Amino acid sequence: MDVLLAIVGQFGLYGLLTVGIAVIFAATRVVNLAQGDLAMVGAYVAATATTAPFGVRTLLALAVGAPLLLIIERLLLRRPGSDGLAAMLVTWGLGMALRQGAELLYTGTSRTVAVPVDGTLDVLGTPYPAYRLVCALTAITVIGLVLLAAHRTDWGLRLRAVADNPAMAALLGTDPRRMRATAFTIGGLLAVLAGALYSPVLAVNPSMGFGLLVPVFFGLLLSRPGALATAAGAALLISALSVLLRTWLSDTLAEALFYAVVVAIAALRSRPWIGRFSAWFRRTPAPATAA
Amino acid sequence: MVPSYPRARDRRVTPAARTTALTLAATLAVTLTGCQGAALSDDDGPAAAGGPVRIGVVVPLTGPVSQVGTALRNGLELAVKKVNAEGGVHGRPVEYVVVDDAGDPANSTQLARRLVRQDKVTMLFGTITGDTAEAVGRVADEAHVPFGTAILGDTEHCFAYQWGFGESTRQMLTPTVPGLVAKYGKKVALVGSDYNYPRFYAGVAKELVKQAGGTVVAEEYSPLGQTDWQPVIGRLKSAGPDSVLSMVVGADAVTFSKQAQQFGLLTPELGYEGAPLDADFQPALGALVAGRTHTVRWSDQVDDAESRAFAKDYRDAHQWKAPIPEVAGNAYFGVKFFLAAAEKAGSGDPQAVNKAIGGLTLDSPLGKGTRFEPSNHVFQADMREVTIGRDGAYTVTRTHPMVADTTPKKGCA
């Protein structure tokens, strides 16, 4: 039970970030390397606006984040958008600027955010910090809503269409620029939310988001572009893998093994026979049998 | 030169001549590089010529440890100001050159070399992390220029020209461990960030816990930048320790302490000592560390006129309200020790100053008769038990006079 709760807790954080980065990747084909630093921004809002109650601070973070993200997309990402690599470098620079900005404003010293919900809850006999539970459940609800939106709304349909074939989607009347702007904003907001939600659990400092980038990047690597559910699944897989390894082994060994396993999965996935195997699983008729 | 050109071109180079030329070139190269160290130390800098005494300061002013680096520089600045106000070193003013290594040892090496060669400094001071200290220590040894550090903990290597003013691991733990075992109980757990120093710290801790009649029930390490400590805390908790010695450093110290409290490991009944109790983290941890005791070399609450004057100057100069980082105090008194040695040496020659540092005994707020142990270059001085107040004051509640650490290290001579 302990392990299960740990996985859920970790998934809330990684899931929000990974689904966010996947939304951005789906619409723009850009890996947003500033995703972790956007989470840092969210955490700083939660850490500095201490006069307001925590819930309000979280909403404030989102309210501050939304126009900021739109402006960033307009100013920085619109032009190099056609070239994926250039746009990726822009996001890298954006992340660096956010880190340096935070260091200038708030210095490099870590801050903490008081836990808004005190005490522990008994989950089937295991005591667990109440806030972690609240945090994880909120995150999972939001991830669920995003997935629902992607599969049940018009916007989601268009997003998936753009992810599949941007040229065709544009021809059929989806404005790719608007799509990119909304996707970047929503994906970025998920990161801001993750940062604000998890700030009471972490130390808030300028470089905090940078460390989150690696597991999130792996999550994106293991998911299918446009299929947000696979991104959530990948985040779950990564959280589970990391928690399980660290429960069984010492942290040092677990980290080494974690990377080895993730790289192995990524390498295996690119093998053609795996693709055929999974296609067979999905019972899609293979071209050879169609003849 | 112009007329000789065609002739040289006409002349055929015989194999024998070529060998000679090559040998000559090789010899020349060897002589040149071999001489470099000697050339540097023989060079009479401005110090020897009656100019100012110059200190080269290598500190990270940017990057993850910039906060600590800035505190060190601030302490050093005030020390130089004080010494100059009192007439300098044998009548000559003291200057310093600050360079920013951003916490990267590659930079530290380059910058330290530049300070020695171009700025002709009499002494080097600074660095925060162990790897940058070692980088500058090597340069100092090559160039025969004394180098002082102020950060707590031991460096792995001892250098003939490197001197540390921060407390050694043994000086920190010798007074701490028996107290923890007596107050909280025999079972001690160790936790640290995963790099060399926390493992070294754990080694010393294990030895001292055993001596104090306790047992080490758990030992955990986690990579730097860890955000989720639940598995580690779970393992620590299941070992049921009476106290935890933590060498979890940097931002991780805050994350670990917070999560340890959230998961019910860090209760007031549990003994807790180590890096997270340092003054640097007090603003973030506040209530979590309030009421606990911590062993330090210097705190801004040390009851001594000179120390109080320094603390006041520091607060005024930098509008500082939080506890003053210990490294600032160590740097302040460390630089004063170095300059006292330069005064005693009677010349600005770095080698003579280095010799004087090794032989100097000085009374200061850090202790009566502070000096360096020749076999390990550990600064022999007082240690203090401070109690952390709710307001963040590190009040001295006990003084351990002259805590010795004479465990020899290789490479000091």
Side-chain angles (χ1 to χ4, degrees), chain A residues 267-281:
Chain A
L268 275 179
R269 239 176 56 99
S270 63
R271 293 268 162 194
W273 60 267
I274 295 275
R276 278 204 292 277
F277 188 67
S278 61
W280 178 76
F281 247 118

Side-chain angles (χ1 to χ4, degrees), chain B residues 17 25 58 128 132 164 166 196:
Chain B
V58 186
I128 299 300
T132 54
N196 297 350

